[in-house]
Amino acid sequence: MTYALLLLSYVLGATPSSYWISRLVRGIDLRQHGSGNLGATNVFRIVGPGWAVPVMVLDVTKGFVPVSLFPALINADIGWALAFGGAAIFGHIFSFWVGFKGGKGVATSAGALLALAPWPVLGCFIVWCLLTFPTGYVALGSIGAVAALPVFIFIAPQSGVPGLFWFSVALAFFVIWAHRTNVRRLLAGSEDRFRWASNTADDHSEPA
């Protein structure tokens, strides 16, 4: 049962909501438009902001459900809760539905951590806003937010959640690795900006 739930966590995380919604609404393969990434930012730019919101909610839910519900089904400890969350995040980034090409894992990671450490997640969201809105770099906000996660976990430790700090460290490295092409473009000064007023996004940034 435990390993079946671990597999289910991956399958749930791998559910490509952005891909399916863009297929349903616009009849397109989102991987062939904009950034090519299957996340809410690309949906915002290609399909429209009205569809980016449900995609974001679904991506967050994919991380939240395995961590918050699955451990109770088998009376598992926190280690398994973290494993379920990790599997969902891995599934989002490497979805078997779409050739193992998904999003960048930020929204699903937020969902997984919301079930265990809501206040650090709120702190990360504030960091994301402070970096993204003034600069227009969604990738910068996402990288900064996930990099700040272990710091927030450390200064606001969650009682009864052993291993959460090291999980957050591993998660930060993993999500930043998923943004490696964005990091190279940011360092080179070639990363495009998200243009809020015109409801268009850059061709490369993708936080979810």
Side-chain angles (χ1 to χ4, degrees):
M1 179 67 169
T2 301
Y3 291 103
L5 289 175
L6 189 65
L7 178 60
L8 182 58
S9 298
Y10 168 77
V11 173
L12 184 62
T15 303
S17 54
S18 59
Y19 175 81
W20 286 345
I21 285 178
S22 62
R23 278 289 195 189
L24 179 65
V25 175
R26 294 282 300 276
I28 61 172
D29 184 342
L30 195 63
R31 295 170 297 176
Q32 299 175 3
H33 297 269
S35 68
N37 288 310
L38 298 178
T41 299
N42 212 24
V43 172
F44 188 103
R45 187 177 85 90
I46 302 300
V47 184
W51 293 104
V53 173
V55 166
M56 180 67 70
V57 171
L58 287 170
D59 285 350
V60 170
T61 302
K62 293 190 303 187
F64 183 82
V65 168
V67 175
S68 61
L69 298 184
F70 289 3
L73 297 177
I74 54 174
N75 196 27
D77 60 21
I78 186 62
W80 279 108
L82 295 176
F84 295 147
I89 296 163
F90 186 83
H92 179 76
I93 297 176
F94 301 106
S95 172
F96 70 95
W97 292 103
V98 285
F100 298 96
K101 180 181 180 182
K104 297 296 179 68
V106 176
T108 305
S109 297
L113 269 298
L114 272 174
L116 299 172
W119 290 112
V121 173
L122 176 60
C124 291
F125 177 68
I126 293 172
V127 170
W128 185 88
C129 291
L130 291 174
L131 291 174
T132 300
F133 286 106
T135 67
Y137 292 127
V138 179
L140 177 63
S142 300
I143 293 166
V146 75
L149 177 62
V151 177
F152 286 123
I153 295 290
F154 183 78
I155 64 177
Q158 307 298 301
S159 60
V161 188
L164 182 58
F165 172 75
W166 293 112
F167 177 82
S168 70
V169 171
L171 180 61
F173 276 105
F174 185 49
V175 174
I176 292 173
W177 173 83
H179 284 83
R180 59 195 181 281
T181 56
N182 302 89
V183 171
R184 287 195 290 266
R185 285 191 293 266
L186 285 167
L187 293 174
S190 58
E191 180 81 342
D192 294 320
R193 299 173 188 268
F194 195 98
R195 294 177 286 277
W196 307 97
S198 60
N199 287 346
T200 57
D202 61 68
D203 287 339
H204 309 297
S205 294
E206 182 61 56

